[in-house]
Amino acid sequence: MRPYALTGGRTQYDGHDLDMVALIETVPEPGESEQVRGLRTGGRGDALDPEHEMILSLCRTPLSVVEIASDLELPLGVVRVLLGDLLDRSLVRVRRPAPVAQFPGERVLKEVIDGIRAL
């Protein structure tokens, strides 16, 4: 199926900016135990497209956006739009990647260089 058909002609999600390494996880239904959640394949009330259902199935354990795209063999942009649909329905949650550590200051780098020279 062509990407524009999967996304209804949309090319991006208007909500959150979904980082490629952000972790996506299915949100359990109210009162649903983890054991029941693992057995459920659908049953969310509103009818979902098969691609949405596949994402929900994959994300029972947290996966990154890029892993979802790879598993579904769909372009990253298409997966971001589909995830946006699920976010709008509160069927998945996003865990942002941890911020990259700050680079050490110039003083620390000079001390390291001086220590190496002293060897």
Side-chain angles (χ1 to χ4, degrees):
M1 184 174 278
R2 299 213 179 234
Y4 66 82
L6 292 174
T7 63
R10 296 169 292 153
T11 58
Q12 60 186 356
Y13 173 58
D14 295 330
H16 303 291
D17 182 29
L18 295 172
D19 193 291
M20 290 189 323
V21 294
L23 293 177
I24 310 296
E25 180 178 33
T26 303
V27 174
E29 290 185 24
E32 180 179 45
S33 70
E34 288 295 318
Q35 186 176 19
V36 172
R37 178 180 158 198
L39 297 173
R40 184 182 39 77
T41 58
R44 292 270 185 177
D46 296 335
L48 294 171
D49 293 332
E51 293 76 19
H52 290 114
E53 290 289 347
M54 286 189 280
I55 291 172
L56 289 174
S57 177
L58 283 173
C59 293
R60 285 189 198 121
T61 58
L63 283 178
S64 69
V65 174
V66 74
E67 287 174 310
I68 296 167
S70 175
D71 287 351
L72 295 178
E73 297 179 0
L74 290 172
L76 191 57
V78 170
V79 170
R80 283 182 170 149
V81 171
L82 295 174
L83 286 171
D85 295 342
L86 295 172
L87 278 168
D88 288 344
R89 292 180 176 194
S90 300
L91 297 176
V92 295
R93 67 177 144 235
V94 179
R95 288 192 290 172
R96 307 282 176 214
V100 178
Q102 295 290 326
F103 290 109
E106 185 177 341
R107 181 186 59 79
V108 173
L109 293 175
K110 284 183 180 180
E111 288 178 12
V112 170
I113 291 171
D114 291 342
I116 292 172
R117 285 186 184 150
L119 293 175

